[in-house]
Amino acid sequence: MSRASIFDLLHQRQQPPEPVEEISSARSDYRVDRLRLLDCVALTASGFVGAGAVPAVQSPALSPSLHGPDGFRLLVHRVADVTPIQEPRLSRLEAKALRLHELIQTIVIEALMMLEALPEEAAFDVVLTAPLRSPEATAIVVERLRAAIVETQYASALGEIRHTARGGDPHTVVDVGDNGGMPYVLWISADSLLNEADVAALQHRRVLDRSSNSPGLYAGEAVAALLIQRLLPEDADFDAGWRIDTGIVRDHPARSAQRDHAKRQTLLALLKDAWPASDAASDADEARGRIRLSTARALPRHGSSSMPWGCPAGQWRSAVR
C-alpha cells in the first residue's frame, strides 16, 4: 500500500479563501427636494441640441405615410438621421416600439460622452422614459440599451436600468427605492407621435395641424438625455451645473367657467398670495424668492441666463409647433 504524497495531502491544509465583500456606491438617503443637472443633449427634427450647439429651426415636412382625414399628407417634425435597426419583433409587439428603439440607440453614444465629466469610477443608473406598453417590447429595448452601454468603457460603472412609461417631475422620475441608487443618473426620454394611433388621438382632440385647415400642432418626435446628480444632505452647494428644486403647483377653475371680472379677481388674489405687497425692498426681494411657476425650475449657476435650450427640467414634449 503506497503512502499519499505531500501534494495529495496539500488540499487538507489549504484554507478556503474568504469571500471579498464588494463595496457598493448605492445609497438611499439622497435629498428629495433638490437635484443637480450636469449636462444634457437632445435629438430633434432640427438635429442635435446641446450646450453651445443649437441648430437652425427646421420647417415641418410632408410625411410619406401619414394622412389626415381629408386624404392629404400631414406636415410633421421627423428626425431624419436615426440608426436603422432590424428588430422585427418590436414591430409585431407594439406600433411605435421600433421607432422609439431607433431614437434611443441614436442618442446613446452622445449621452455616454457626457459621463466623461464625472469623477473616475463614478457609478450611475439609467432611467429610460418611453411610452412602451408591451412588457416584451420593453424588455427588448432595455436589454439592447444595456448591451450598448456594456460595450463601452462604462460597463463596470453601470448600476440599474429602470423603465418608466411617462415622465413628469424629475424628482419623482429619478427617485430611488428601498434598495438605493447610484450617485449619478442618466435620464433618457424618447417619444414619437409619427404613427396612426397617436395622430388619430391628436385629431380627436382637434389640435392637429393639417395641410388644408387652420393652424395647430404638428406631430413630431424627439429624444433627450440628461445627466443628473442625486444630492446627499451634505451637498449644500456646488460650483457648476444647474440646481433643480421642487416647486408648487396651483390649480384653478377652467377659464370657460369664469366671467372676465371673476378672472381678474382670481388672478389678483393669486398674485397677492404669491407676492405680497411690501414697502421695504428687502421684503419684496424675499417675496420674489418664494414664487414658483412650475413643478421643477432650473436655477442657473455661474451667471448663465438660462438652461441649455432643448433640455427639459420637467416632462419632455415631442409634439411642438
Side-chain angles (χ1 to χ4, degrees), residues 2 4 22 33 51 64 71 76 130 133 137 171 179 186 191 206 222 227 241 257 279 283 291 298 300 311 319:
S2 61
E22 295 184 0
D33 62 334
V76 299
R133 299 181 179 178
H171 301 81
N179 296 329
L186 190 63
D191 198 1
R206 300 182 182 275
L227 181 58
D279 295 334
D283 293 342
I291 292 180
C311 300

Side-chain angles (χ1 to χ4, degrees), residues 285-301:
D285 292 338
E286 182 180 357
R288 292 188 186 95
R290 293 197 298 268
I291 292 180
R292 294 291 185 271
L293 299 180
S294 65
T295 60
R297 188 173 183 84
L299 303 179
R301 307 290 295 177

Side-chain angles (χ1 to χ4, degrees), residues 1 15 19 22 26 58 115 129 141 191 197 217 224 274 305:
M1 182 175 182
Q15 299 295 330
E22 295 184 0
Q58 296 292 324
L115 298 177
T129 300
V141 173
D191 198 1
L217 294 177
S305 59

Side-chain angles (χ1 to χ4, degrees), residues 146-317:
R146 184 189 304 276
I149 298 176
V150 169
E151 292 178 356
T152 68
Q153 67 270 30
Y154 302 106
S156 59
L158 176 62
E160 174 192 19
I161 298 183
R162 175 163 50 90
H163 169 259
T164 61
R166 299 182 60 182
D169 185 351
H171 301 81
T172 303
V173 175
V174 305
D175 192 18
V176 297
D178 296 336
N179 296 329
M182 300 303 175
Y184 298 92
V185 55
L186 190 63
W187 181 14
I188 300 177
S189 179
D191 198 1
S192 174
L193 302 182
L194 303 187
N195 57 82
E196 295 181 357
D198 286 324
V199 168
L202 293 175
Q203 291 175 346
H204 180 73
R205 293 167 51 194
R206 300 182 182 275
V207 297
L208 182 67
D209 186 304
R210 296 179 298 183
S211 57
S212 61
N213 72 345
S214 58
L217 294 177
Y218 298 119
E221 59 184 5
V223 57
L226 284 74
L227 181 58
I228 296 175
Q229 180 184 3
R230 295 165 169 150
L231 297 175
L232 297 170
E234 58 266 23
D235 297 329
D237 201 1
F238 43 84
D239 297 330
W242 291 264
R243 190 180 74 224
I244 305 178
D245 290 336
T246 55
I248 299 173
V249 177
R250 292 185 178 274
D251 296 327
H252 59 82
R255 295 180 179 178
S256 58
Q258 302 182 41
R259 296 181 179 273
D260 292 342
H261 177 73
K263 295 178 184 178
R264 289 195 296 268
Q265 296 300 318
T266 301
L267 178 59
L268 291 175
L270 287 173
L271 290 175
K272 183 178 180 181
D273 181 48
W275 197 342
S278 176
D279 295 334
S282 59
D283 293 342
D285 292 338
E286 182 180 357
R288 292 188 186 95
R290 293 197 298 268
I291 292 180
R292 294 291 185 271
L293 299 180
S294 65
T295 60
R297 188 173 183 84
L299 303 179
R301 307 290 295 177
H302 274 322
S304 177
S305 59
S306 63
M307 288 180 58
W309 182 87
C311 300
Q315 181 179 4
W316 175 263
R317 299 182 183 274

